Amino acid sequence: MSDSSLPVLPAADRPDIAARLRDALLAVSFTADGLLELLGAPAYAALARSETVPALRATRGDTPLELLVRLFLLQQPVPHARVAGVLPVEDCLETGWLVRVGDDEVAATVDVRPYGGLDGEDWFIVSDLGCAVGGAGGIGSREEGVVLGVGGASTTLAGITVRTPVASALDLGTGSGIQALHAGRHATRVTATDVNPRALHITALTLALSGAPAADLRQGSLFEPLHEGETFDLIVSNPPFVISPGARLTYRDGGMGGDDLCRTIVQQSGERLNEGGFAQFLANWQHVEGEDWQDRLRSWVPRGCDAWIVQREVQDVTQYAELWLRDAGDHREDPAEYQARYDAWLDEFEARKVRAVGFGWITLRRTGSAEPSITVEEWPHPVEQPLGDTVRAHFDRIAYLRDNDDAALLDGYFRLAREIVQEQVGLPGAEDPEHVVLRQHRGMRRATTVDTVGAGFAGVCDGTLSAGRILDAIAQLVGEDPVLLRDRTPAQIRLLVEQGFLEPGN
């Protein structure tokens, strides 16, 4: 891979200069909160869509913060003399963060975008010029080795990742380093890999400028850079999952046929996980004619791992092709070339009998169980990010249900999860509701229909009485045989536990 036509990057071996630059940026509130206050919500949101005109209009003044926004986010040259009072300019010129333009101006060599972490950290994501935001609006560069900044996929993965303290974490295909940056907060050792050496260089810049610990950076494809037998407590990856004909763009195209790259990552991750460890990915998968997409994904799960796979979106093949053609900016080029590329995508899908493409999350947990749990579901509805605690709790509940038969379940104690509400649906004036719905206001924000026994059971669960004793009391109230009620209710209890409405433990 060649990146000779891309700008030379700042030196990655001068953390002292990165620290001085970080201090200067923070001193003038070049942060996520500072940008929101300066630009206002509409212009700030437009930046997240790679639209710069509103931000240009909002930064026509001469304050230090406006100067830095134009320099690092909008790629505008600024007067050398003016920025010298804000940044360590000579150091930045020496180490390549800035270059001279004309007689009296300087320009940035990389995008630097403030990024607020999950706990409000003031971090900075470095990326190639014009590529601070990844997405379908066109990235501003069509170079093969270009490195993008933070897009919606990056923040989604960061939000769903389990954030318990671990000894070791692996960021597979690190890109600009956002996942490695997050992992550094709760992992003693972070390893980051990428096939693109430019991405590893930019990851080092991101970590240094954010004041984060350095990571062990290794070049290579997928798991190839790892040592034999090397394992981790956490593996995360926002891989180049786009299903495309060929591999034009390293940052997004997997280079394998169909969804083979995502399948390979999932299948090979099992042997790289420590017991109890999590592997979490974003992925695309094919919906193939005559094949159940859920069965396809179940076949990806490695032995010894529980899995939770959530399909968030499905696009037909025409929508999918158009999305990624626009991502590459092909819609702005020669119409004949655009049509040829569009045809190539549809030819590829037709040859593979692909009718649609799904997008979603895949989480594995290494358990070594002889009876692994594999949950594959479609959930296109809004959720509450961050979801890391929700993901961890899901696997804890699955393990609990596997380890407890119905008799143990009835001897167990449960609590109603936080912020669960009950809705009753029926005709006005009716003595009894037609449906009782329990609804979550946190996490996955699920809703489930229960009968009156299930609703009554959930409402009483506060950890003080066993499930069996609660059912006995309900049986007495409704005049039902307690033995029959104990026999038919565990299935409903299991569903409420699995979906997070009830939590085990007193």
Side-chain angles (χ1 to χ4, degrees), residues 234-415:
L234 173 68
I235 299 173
V236 292
S237 183
N238 176 20
F241 53 66
V242 176
I243 300 170
S244 64
R248 291 173 58 203
L249 299 171
T250 303
Y251 75 88
R252 69 166 206 192
D253 298 328
M256 296 185 184
D259 51 17
D260 282 355
L261 180 126
C262 291
R263 175 186 56 78
T264 299
I265 291 175
V266 174
Q267 289 181 337
Q268 293 184 0
S269 63
E271 63 187 26
R272 294 293 184 173
L273 273 179
N274 292 326
E275 191 74 11
F278 286 94
Q280 299 186 260
F281 316 102
L282 301 185
N284 277 181
W285 43 80
Q286 299 173 145
H287 285 232
V288 179
E289 182 179 341
E291 177 182 271
D292 187 319
W293 68 271
Q294 294 181 324
D295 289 342
R296 182 182 190 86
L297 290 172
R298 287 188 184 95
S299 73
W300 292 8
V301 178
R303 290 184 178 181
C305 290
D306 289 343
W308 184 20
I309 302 172
V310 181
Q311 180 167 273
R312 295 288 289 161
E313 184 180 1
V314 181
Q315 291 185 324
D316 66 49
V317 292
T318 59
Q319 291 174 308
Y320 189 80
E322 290 162 13
L323 170 69
W324 295 110
L325 286 166
R326 286 184 170 85
D327 171 81
D330 291 325
H331 61 301
R332 296 191 294 265
E333 302 299 321
D334 176 51
E337 183 177 347
Y338 174 80
Q339 182 175 340
R341 291 192 187 280
Y342 201 151
D343 268 334
W345 283 70
L346 297 186
D347 285 344
E348 179 83 4
F349 285 134
E350 185 175 344
R352 295 179 178 275
K353 298 183 178 181
V354 176
R355 297 294 175 258
V357 177
F359 168 82
W361 319 325
I362 298 177
T363 301
L364 309 176
R365 188 178 199 180
R366 183 81 183 177
T367 65
S369 172
E371 299 178 359
S373 167
I374 301 176
T375 301
V376 184
E377 62 176 322
E378 186 165 17
W379 190 255
H381 311 294
V383 299
E384 182 193 43
Q385 285 276 36
L387 272 173
D389 288 345
T390 298
V391 173
R392 177 192 50 76
H394 167 87
F395 284 91
D396 288 346
R397 294 193 305 270
I398 290 299
Y400 172 85
L401 292 173
R402 179 169 49 223
D403 294 341
N404 288 270
D405 60 16
D406 286 355
L409 209 64
L410 293 174
D411 287 337
Y413 294 77
F414 301 92
R415 287 183 178 274

Side-chain angles (χ1 to χ4, degrees), residues 160-291:
I160 68 173
T161 300
V162 176
R163 298 295 175 193
T164 52
V166 294
S168 58
L170 170 64
D171 178 12
L172 195 72
T174 187
S176 60
I178 178 176
Q179 310 305 331
L181 186 58
H182 278 286
R185 288 297 307 270
H186 62 104
T188 304
R189 174 174 58 88
V190 177
T191 300
T193 70
D194 205 290
V195 70
N196 184 358
R198 190 175 183 85
L200 297 176
H201 191 132
I202 283 182
T203 291
L205 298 176
T206 289
L207 297 176
L209 193 58
S210 297
D216 178 6
L217 304 177
R218 306 184 197 174
Q219 183 185 352
S221 176
L222 303 183
F223 296 96
E224 289 176 2
L226 303 185
H227 308 311
E228 184 177 354
E230 190 174 13
T231 57
F232 300 86
D233 302 310
L234 173 68
I235 299 173
V236 292
S237 183
N238 176 20
F241 53 66
V242 176
I243 300 170
S244 64
R248 291 173 58 203
L249 299 171
T250 303
Y251 75 88
R252 69 166 206 192
D253 298 328
M256 296 185 184
D259 51 17
D260 282 355
L261 180 126
C262 291
R263 175 186 56 78
T264 299
I265 291 175
V266 174
Q267 289 181 337
Q268 293 184 0
S269 63
E271 63 187 26
R272 294 293 184 173
L273 273 179
N274 292 326
E275 191 74 11
F278 286 94
Q280 299 186 260
F281 316 102
L282 301 185
N284 277 181
W285 43 80
Q286 299 173 145
H287 285 232
V288 179
E289 182 179 341
E291 177 182 271

Side-chain angles (χ1 to χ4, degrees), residues 75-143:
Q75 283 82 64
Q76 301 293 308
V78 298
H80 179 286
R82 183 68 187 91
V83 79
V86 182
L87 300 177
V89 172
E90 298 309 317
D91 287 339
C92 289
L93 287 168
E94 177 189 349
T95 53
W97 289 95
L98 301 176
V99 294
R100 297 184 185 275
V101 178
D103 295 331
D104 60 355
E105 290 185 316
V106 296
T109 59
V110 288
D111 267 303
V112 175
R113 178 159 300 226
Y115 172 73
L118 299 176
D119 295 321
E121 300 91 345
D122 286 324
W123 287 337
F124 300 97
I125 307 298
V126 180
S127 63
D128 272 312
L129 293 173
C131 303
V133 176
I139 62 169
S141 175
R142 299 177 72 180
E143 298 289 344

Side-chain angles (χ1 to χ4, degrees), residues 29 31-45 47 65 114:
S29 297
T31 63
D33 289 341
L35 258 61
L36 179 59
E37 183 176 351
L38 170 69
L39 302 178
Y44 187 79
L47 268 184
L65 181 54

Side-chain angles (χ1 to χ4, degrees), residues 16-26 72 87-88 92 97 209:
D16 56 326
I17 303 303
R20 291 190 61 193
L21 177 56
R22 171 180 171 80
D23 290 343
L25 298 176
L26 294 177
F72 285 118
L87 300 177
C92 289
W97 289 95
L209 193 58

